[in-house]
Amino acid sequence: MNEALARPAVVSRISELIGYTPLFELCRTETGSRLLLKLEMYNPTGTAKIRMARQMVLDAEARGELRPGGHIIESTSGNTGLGLAVIAAERGYTFTAVVDHHACADKLRAMRALGTELVYVADDGTEELATAAREELAEDMARGQDNTVFTEQHNNPSNGVGYFPVAHELHQALDGHLDVLIGAVGTGGALCGTARELRTLMSGVTVIGVEPKGSIAFGGPAHDYYQSGTGTPEGAGIGALVDYDLIDEGVKVGDIEAFATARAVARTGLLIGGSAGGVVHEALTRLPALPPGTTMVALVNDGGEKYLDTVFDDDWMNARNLIAPAVEREIDETLTKLRRN
């Protein structure tokens, strides 16, 4: 590995363990096209979002908006909050996460364990995604407060900048041979930040964005969905980081297909999150039709360990009419066939 991207043998901050995540070949076709997963769960907190959490804090410090003893506030469904909790803890800041009960309980418990103050915008037992209400409250809490920053992930340019290293990691690992990049679109930071920097390193990469059915970034109709940490629900503004000029195609994947894919991939030995299941589902659908020798990389933004009480729990899935054995079997068969090549 190039020394510029190499991690020191010994580190003194958890944030120094961010990045350098592995690429895993999930499967390939008879014609040599392959699907590689960028496994971002190997970052601290098990998610890609600690990349942009660090960048948002560093840039706030550089602007003089955040000083020693300061206070960070963010609206989060979990993974961004986990990243900010780590960065706040190691840099001596107080962190308040504005949350709802749509977030996975394990993410909320982990944030609290890291010293985060949790402020809820909805009553216990309400699973509705309350993005707009969370952001309004977070902004109100920060307004007029000294040495206090609302990091505002959906509209913070530092979000996208935090993912520039992903592009360099991919370019280096693949010697510049990357044809298709596919990833989830929530704030837009991960996919568009990576794509923006990739455009400076290589040409000809097709970028595909994936959001849940019910999300509105790529049009309606809007309705509730259970994929966590991704998409733009009705009533929430599309984030400034969603750059349509960088996305060649935007597609939607339903909860049933996304979760069935995550459950099927688990049977290969790899736990991925529910929204990552949507990305992998779309990638598997496209892979057989790609030109021979194509390299497709799917951004897997978190692992499945945080979803053992939801996506991987039959009772939870059945209670919401999300379990689909026939769809899982179809994906099992696809993976078995492709993994034999």
Side-chain angles (χ1 to χ4, degrees):
M1 179 176 283
N2 186 311
E3 288 186 4
L5 290 180
R7 178 186 292 128
V10 178
V11 302
S12 58
R13 289 177 179 262
I14 295 297
S15 60
E16 293 178 277
L17 299 173
I18 296 170
Y20 324 101
T21 54
L23 280 168
F24 171 67
E25 183 177 299
L26 180 65
C27 54
R28 66 168 59 214
T29 67
E30 292 179 347
T31 61
S33 293
R34 56 182 180 161
L35 172 58
L36 307 180
L37 308 184
K38 181 66 166 161
L39 298 181
E40 288 289 281
M41 69 277 275
Y42 285 91
N43 283 304
T45 71
T47 171
K49 291 191 176 182
I50 194 170
R51 291 182 185 263
M52 61 94 152
R54 175 177 61 179
Q55 193 67 45
M56 291 193 299
V57 171
L58 292 177
D59 288 350
E61 290 175 343
R63 293 190 300 268
E65 297 172 0
L66 195 58
R67 303 179 300 282
H71 186 187
I72 300 166
I73 301 174
E74 182 57 271
S75 159
T76 175
S77 60
N79 280 332
T80 299
L82 284 170
L84 285 169
V86 169
I87 304 303
E90 74 174 16
R91 302 182 80 82
Y93 299 125
T94 300
F95 173 49
T96 299
V98 181
V99 300
D100 54 40
H101 292 281
H102 180 86
C104 291
D106 280 347
K107 295 179 185 178
L108 301 176
R109 286 192 287 262
M111 279 191 279
R112 187 179 286 114
L114 289 163
T116 300
E117 175 194 22
L118 300 183
V119 175
Y120 289 86
V121 296
D123 294 334
D124 194 6
T126 303
E127 292 187 343
E128 182 180 352
L129 182 59
T131 303
R134 291 198 324 251
E135 292 179 357
E136 182 178 355
L137 178 56
E139 185 175 12
D140 287 345
M141 290 175 65
R143 186 178 294 113
Q145 299 300 310
D146 182 54
N147 200 13
T148 298
V149 171
F150 170 33
T151 42
E152 199 178 3
Q153 59 174 313
H154 283 84
N155 296 301
N156 190 329
S158 301
N159 178 342
V161 174
Y163 294 102
F164 284 4
V166 178
H168 290 271
E169 291 170 27
L170 292 174
H171 182 258
Q172 179 178 281
L174 300 173
D175 292 325
H177 301 301
L178 173 58
D179 302 294
V180 182
L181 178 71
I182 183 168
V185 175
T187 68
L191 182 64
C192 294
T194 302
R196 181 177 299 281
E197 189 68 1
L198 271 178
R199 296 276 167 89
T200 71
L201 300 171
M202 65 182 83
S203 60
V205 180
T206 298
V207 178
I208 300 168
V210 180
E211 69 173 347
K213 289 182 179 178
S215 176
I216 61 171
F218 300 131
H223 57 74
D224 291 343
Y225 56 87
Y226 286 98
Q227 292 173 64
S228 177
T230 187
T232 306
E234 187 174 22
I238 297 171
L241 282 301
V242 180
D243 188 337
Y244 295 102
D245 289 337
L246 293 170
I247 301 172
D248 295 295
E249 186 177 354
V251 298
K252 297 174 180 286
V253 176
D255 289 336
I256 288 175
E257 292 77 15
F259 295 167
T261 303
R263 289 161 66 97
V265 170
R267 290 189 282 273
T268 72
L270 178 67
L271 284 171
I272 64 174
S275 62
V279 173
V280 174
H281 183 273
E282 184 65 25
L284 288 172
T285 299
R286 292 168 177 264
L287 187 64
L290 293 176
T294 296
T295 295
M296 174 188 282
V297 170
L299 300 176
V300 173
N301 285 339
D302 73 348
E305 291 83 357
K306 298 166 186 170
Y307 307 95
L308 298 178
D309 292 336
T310 54
V311 175
F312 299 102
D313 183 87
D314 287 357
D315 292 337
W316 187 92
M317 292 281 287
N318 277 315
R320 292 156 183 79
N321 297 314
L322 293 172
I323 202 161
V327 178
E328 288 187 41
R329 284 195 298 272
E330 181 180 348
I331 298 165
D332 280 331
E333 291 169 2
T334 297
L335 283 170
T336 299
K337 177 182 177 181
L338 290 173
R339 286 171 66 86
R340 285 175 180 163
N341 292 323

